Amino acid sequence: MADAEGGEVSFFATRDVKATRKPHRCEGCGKLIEAAAPAWYFSLLQDGEFYAGYYHPDCRAAEVELNDLQGNYGGEDWTALSLIPEEPEDKAWLIEAHPVVAARMGLTGGAA
Ligand SMILES: [Zn+2]
């Protein structure tokens, strides 16, 4: 569908944060990461634009696991956790493999 085209990532850094100083919105599930909770932080430069954000550690783990399963290694092929609700197969996988993350995103099993 509407994949970003030819986005060149010239810088990418990540960091495990033991305890955030203030609440952050998780880029994966879209829910709040409480202050003082652990988080995964990333920053990157793509086509001259700087992006940075936080993930719940288990949201990040789920996203990495899905992309490992799909054989994606970043870049344009990467499936962001936030897109999973729109992909029935990925959604079913998430509910099965990461029920806590799925529940946080408001995803439930049942009639697909
Ligand atoms: Zn999250």
Side-chain angles (χ1 to χ4, degrees), residues 26 29 56 59 104:
C26 174
C29 67
H56 290 106
C59 283
R104 192 188 291 138

Side-chain angles (χ1 to χ4, degrees), residues 66-90:
L66 177 67
N67 282 277
D68 277 352
L69 283 172
Q70 296 179 341
N72 300 333
Y73 298 98
E76 293 168 44
D77 294 333
W78 192 258
T79 301
L81 187 68
S82 55
L83 298 178
I84 286 180
E86 295 160 29
E87 302 288 341
E89 281 181 29
D90 296 349

